[in-house]
Amino acid sequence: MKPFHLHRKDFTPYSTGVQKEWVLTNGLGSYAGSSVTGAHSRMHHGYLIASLHPPVERFVTLSKIDECFICEENCFDFTTRQYRDIEKNTCYTDGLDYLTDFIYDGLVHFRYQADSFSMEKTLSFEYGKNTIAIAYDIKNDGAAGRLRLTPLFNFRVHNDPDTIDTLQFIKQIDDNEIQLVPTSNQEVCIRLYIGDGKISDSEKLFQLNTQLQKELDVETEGVDSHYSPYVIDYEIPAESQLKISVVCSLEPEFCKDAFATCQKEMARLSSLEQKAGYTDDFATALTISADHFLAYRQSTRLTTVLAGLPWFTDWGRDTMIALTGLVLSTHRYQEARDILTTFATYVQDGLVPNMFPDEGTAPLYNTADASLWYFYAVDKYLSYTGEASDYEFVRTTIYPKLKEIIHAYEHGAGFSIYMEEDGLIHAGSGLDQVTWMDVRVGDWVATPRHGKPVEINALWYNALRVMEQLSTRFGEDSSHYEELAEHAKNSFREEFWNENDQCLYDVVDGTTGDASLRPNQIYAVSLPYRMLDPVQEKKVVDKVYESLYAGTGLRSLSPDDPQYHPTYEGCLSKRDHAYHQGTSWGFLLGGFLTAYVHVYGTSPETIQKANRMLDPVRNHLYQGCIGSISEIFDGDVPHTCRGCYAQAWSVGEVLRAYTEDILPYLK
């Protein structure tokens, strides 16, 4: 992967740099992340946020390590931190003055320079373990001094702050290893390997009142605290070069050579690039980003997909939409099988789970589209693989679940999901929120879409055609699926076409169509099996492009609508009002680009235009979470990124559309 190299001008002043973030993952649901300045700005930032029950129950254990170089009478403090003083004023440390470069190449590198002392700090996970390696590569061209490290510990759920009362540990030093056991969970031991460093008691047992700017931005208190019982000193001779390994782990056994861990992880990432086979910089960067969302699920002992970092777990809808880009476009076919099997395991009464809670409790099933996207994912899997063994896997493991889903939708599932007499699917009633536009706060439903949502019925038709093909392949009678599909197609054309606006209604309920201009209609053009005639398809694409295309995604509502919210900011209530009422969504870009190429063809002019539509996303890779794509963006220019800093279906759908619909035709 071509490294993302940020220079001082790219992350200064502090207010600019603190908005740019990075993330690393370990394949267990654990992660590390912070801002490119080195200062934490979210409650979810830390060096080792460990999943205790993969991929959920995530706890901040090692928050970060601060460094300073002490030489003669000088102390160069590389710490970048925003904090609240005793009078509650916002203050900043001066570490950003020494940070010269930030580099992301699959690992994370910070480069510092203070007079004749330079240091590169690299972070890497030991993949498959709750172990983070911090490698220090040091060059000292001046007088002798010492490097002092101050590790900051926590043990808290990754979205909750710590206080002095909660920062309680049993501590022990064992040769060159610091061991901390949280009093709240004595089955956990946080181990910090320090090599030949000298341990001393810290002057301050706690670091209090760290301010987190992104939490302040959403109108919360945004303050956290850390436990810092020790400082660690390393002697730095004059005119010297040396390497220092520091490793933090929750494992009884782990690699204590941070540089070896970094090298091994780079080799693993290189193998993923080679398997995907792309030489294009954009596709390769997204291939590495895709890896962040794949995690082992302990309950099934198989791979699953984390919907978004840093806070989402595995969601059925998001997984099925993202699957093609994350694991098929990257040729990770065994992971695709694992994911499909994982969700097949949890199909209940014809419904694929909507989400698995972070607490590790039973999954929730309040979704009408996850089950239908499952057909899409299975069909895509077979289109990429297509071997007899792949069909046999689907026949034995997946096909019975697909039958169950169709039967449930035809005869009635939970959450008012059922087929009406016109052959179309009704979903939702009362306070149910069963489409992806699912904000509900108490008894307030932000985007009630009860009735027959357009994308649900586009997916229903697609699912019926998939079943028609599979049943024929497996030697069964396909006539019932064919009849249902034809009935749905005729009804859809009659009921959903909005003649006045020359596009599709968003929801049809009885004889009434909701004419709100939303992006959901794009799936009637982008799915493999479609119902509209070519003229209608082109009109839908043109309407969506004119009113909803927003560079890094599609707006969830037209700016001409009186309910449109131009920005997604402020407290949760303000954000909930905007979430599906104008906010732009990155994943929708995938369906739109597929639909665009479908209706306009693959001429050089069309492909070049479609490729240019991705330029805002290419620029975004340097602006939000470096190398990844955010969940959402403001509907209005400059389309500031919001929500999860890295989102599975944003990455998956852009990678899928780019590698399926654009890259093969680029000259």
Side-chain angles (χ1 to χ4, degrees):
M1 181 180 76
K2 180 181 178 181
F4 291 85
H5 196 146
L6 276 64
H7 303 279
R8 184 185 296 277
K9 63 180 177 59
D10 301 313
F11 48 74
T12 54
Y14 177 90
S15 58
T16 296
V18 80
Q19 299 297 326
K20 300 181 180 185
E21 300 175 81
W22 57 267
V23 71
L24 301 172
T25 60
N26 71 345
L28 296 177
S30 309
Y31 63 95
S34 187
S35 78
V36 302
T37 67
H40 289 350
S41 60
R42 292 186 192 265
M43 205 63 69
H44 300 82
H45 280 165
Y47 284 5
L48 179 54
I49 302 173
S51 174
L52 304 185
H53 184 206
V56 295
E57 296 181 28
R58 290 169 284 186
F59 279 72
V60 180
T61 55
L62 177 65
S63 183
K64 63 182 300 194
I65 297 178
D66 290 336
E67 302 89 9
C68 67
F69 179 59
I70 303 166
C71 178
E72 297 176 334
E73 300 300 319
N74 297 314
C75 178
F76 302 100
D77 191 345
F78 303 132
T79 303
T80 306
R81 176 178 174 240
Q82 179 177 335
Y83 63 96
R84 190 175 65 186
D85 68 11
I86 194 171
E87 296 178 354
K88 297 192 175 182
N89 298 312
T90 295
C91 304
Y92 306 89
T93 60
D94 297 328
L96 197 57
D97 293 343
Y98 305 108
L99 182 63
T100 61
D101 303 86
F102 171 89
I103 300 167
Y104 172 72
D105 59 2
L107 308 186
V108 168
H109 311 264
F110 297 89
R111 290 179 180 169
Y112 298 91
Q113 182 74 45
D115 287 353
S116 55
F117 176 87
S118 62
M119 177 178 75
E120 180 166 326
K121 172 183 179 179
T122 301
L123 282 83
S124 172
F125 268 110
E126 183 177 358
Y127 192 77
K129 290 189 175 183
N130 280 319
T131 303
I132 191 74
I134 305 100
Y136 294 93
D137 200 341
I138 293 167
K139 184 178 181 183
N140 181 27
D141 291 331
R146 67 183 188 274
L147 179 68
R148 170 163 289 182
L149 306 185
T150 304
L152 306 176
F153 298 99
N154 292 80
F155 187 74
R156 60 173 177 82
V157 177
H158 64 156
N159 57 337
D160 291 337
D162 257 335
T163 64
I164 290 178
D165 293 336
T166 58
L167 288 166
Q168 301 294 322
F169 297 87
I170 302 166
K171 59 182 182 177
Q172 178 179 327
I173 298 174
D174 185 4
D175 293 332
N176 51 6
E177 187 175 283
I178 296 169
Q179 298 178 1
L180 298 177
V181 175
T183 57
S184 59
N185 186 346
Q186 296 188 29
E187 294 182 0
V188 172
C189 181
I190 305 169
R191 307 170 190 271
L192 186 74
Y193 171 78
I194 61 166
D196 59 358
K198 180 181 178 181
I199 301 173
S200 304
D201 289 336
S202 175
E203 293 181 4
K204 294 182 179 179
L205 188 59
F206 301 99
Q207 185 189 89
L208 306 176
N209 296 323
T210 294
Q211 275 192 333
L212 307 169
Q213 186 57 51
K214 283 188 172 288
E215 306 295 341
L216 298 176
D217 291 343
V218 295
E219 300 178 13
T220 66
E221 185 179 12
V223 174
D224 195 20
S225 300
H226 313 284
Y227 183 61
S228 57
Y230 304 112
V231 295
I232 308 156
D233 288 326
Y234 298 84
E235 295 301 322
I236 309 296
E239 305 292 337
S240 65
Q241 295 186 40
L242 69 159
K243 298 179 184 295
I244 295 172
S245 287
V246 176
V247 183
C248 186
S249 182
L250 270 59
E251 312 286 349
E253 299 291 335
F254 56 92
C255 178
K256 296 179 179 179
D257 184 339
F259 293 88
T261 295
C262 292
Q263 186 176 21
K264 185 176 181 180
E265 179 64 358
M266 286 300 290
R268 187 187 73 85
L269 297 175
S270 179
S271 70
L272 296 181
E273 293 179 23
Q274 292 172 13
K275 179 179 284 190
Y278 302 116
T279 57
D280 176 88
D281 289 343
F282 188 49
T284 301
L286 294 183
T287 294
I288 298 304
S289 181
D291 183 63
H292 289 151
F293 307 104
L294 303 180
Y296 170 78
R297 172 161 276 281
Q298 192 175 66
S299 61
T300 59
R301 299 183 181 180
L302 295 170
T303 302
T304 189
V305 173
L306 296 180
L309 296 167
W311 52 75
F312 285 144
T313 57
D314 31 359
W315 290 60
R317 172 193 302 120
D318 299 53
T319 296
M320 299 311 143
I321 294 174
L323 182 143
T324 303
L326 297 187
V327 291
L328 297 180
S329 296
T330 58
H331 302 160
R332 300 176 68 168
Y333 299 145
Q334 184 56 53
E335 284 94 334
R337 280 194 181 204
D338 285 357
I339 294 163
L340 293 174
T341 303
T342 292
F343 280 86
T345 303
Y346 287 97
V347 171
Q348 180 176 296
D349 299 326
L351 295 178
V352 167
N354 185 30
M355 68 165 292
F356 294 84
D358 199 31
E359 298 80 10
T361 52
L364 304 177
Y365 287 87
N366 55 323
T367 172
D369 50 353
S371 300
L372 301 177
W373 277 113
Y374 192 55
F375 288 82
Y376 170 84
V378 171
D379 187 48
K380 278 290 189 179
Y381 169 76
L382 292 173
S383 73
Y384 271 80
T385 55
E387 300 293 331
S389 59
D390 300 306
Y391 277 94
E392 182 62 15
F393 158 70
V394 169
R395 187 187 69 81
T396 57
T397 306
I398 307 298
Y399 187 58
K401 299 295 183 179
L402 300 183
K403 283 184 171 182
E404 179 184 336
I405 293 168
I406 293 293
H407 184 271
Y409 275 63
E410 184 179 357
H411 298 285
F415 303 100
S416 301
I417 299 169
Y418 57 86
M419 188 180 75
E420 294 192 343
E421 291 183 1
D422 57 7
L424 298 176
I425 297 298
H426 177 283
S429 63
L431 298 178
D432 294 337
Q433 286 292 74
V434 293
T435 73
W436 75 275
M437 292 184 165
D438 57 0
V439 169
R440 172 184 156 190
V441 181
D443 292 339
W444 175 68
V445 176
T447 49
R449 303 181 69 229
H450 302 148
K452 293 175 283 191
V454 63
E455 80 280 12
I456 299 298
N457 284 284
L459 287 162
W460 170 240
Y461 177 78
N462 187 76
L464 292 171
R465 290 303 189 191
V466 170
M467 283 301 285
E468 180 187 350
Q469 298 297 318
L470 290 178
S471 58
T472 300
R473 171 87 185 203
F474 298 147
E476 298 183 3
D477 183 6
S478 64
S479 59
H480 181 60
Y481 303 117
E482 182 181 6
E483 291 168 4
L484 288 177
E486 285 299 317
H487 188 29
K489 179 178 181 179
N490 293 332
S491 297
F492 186 91
R493 284 187 168 190
E494 179 180 346
E495 297 179 31
F496 273 93
W497 186 251
N498 179 351
E499 185 65 29
N500 187 54
D501 294 332
Q502 293 291 287
C503 62
L504 295 174
Y505 289 117
D506 187 58
V507 180
V508 172
D509 191 10
T511 59
T512 304
D514 179 0
S516 302
L517 182 52
R518 296 188 182 276
N520 304 302
Q521 61 188 297
I522 202 66
Y523 291 111
V525 188
S526 68
L527 290 170
Y529 298 99
R530 301 173 293 272
M531 296 174 281
L532 301 178
D533 65 46
V535 173
Q536 290 174 320
E537 288 183 335
K538 186 174 182 296
K539 288 181 177 179
V540 166
V541 170
D542 288 346
K543 179 69 72 171
V544 169
Y545 178 62
E546 291 164 6
S547 297
L548 302 179
Y549 171 73
T552 47
L554 298 185
R555 297 181 182 93
S556 48
L557 185 65
S558 168
D560 296 329
D561 194 292
Q563 298 301 314
Y564 175 76
H565 286 65
T567 58
Y568 179 87
E569 56 186 346
C571 68
L572 181 59
S573 175
K574 295 176 185 176
R575 286 178 281 137
D576 280 342
H577 279 77
Y579 204 37
H580 299 117
Q581 297 289 81
T583 296
S584 172
W585 289 73
F587 85 95
L588 294 169
L589 201 55
F592 170 73
L593 289 170
T594 296
Y596 183 85
V597 172
H598 167 66
V599 301
Y600 280 100
T602 57
S603 69
E605 294 77 17
T606 296
I607 295 302
Q608 288 296 334
K609 182 173 181 179
N611 192 40
R612 287 195 299 272
M613 289 183 197
L614 284 170
D615 284 345
V617 181
R618 292 184 177 92
N619 294 334
H620 167 65
L621 296 185
Y622 286 88
Q623 302 303 322
C625 180
I626 305 303
S628 195
I629 306 176
S630 298
E631 175 191 9
I632 52 177
F633 305 82
D634 286 344
D636 274 10
V637 175
H639 306 304
T640 301
C641 56
R642 310 282 189 182
C644 282
Y645 53 57
Q647 190 81 353
W649 61 4
S650 298
V651 171
E653 270 294 88
V654 170
L655 181 57
R656 178 203 60 77
Y658 183 61
T659 56
E660 286 185 351
D661 303 313
I662 298 174
L663 187 58
Y665 306 103
L666 278 177
K667 303 297 183 182

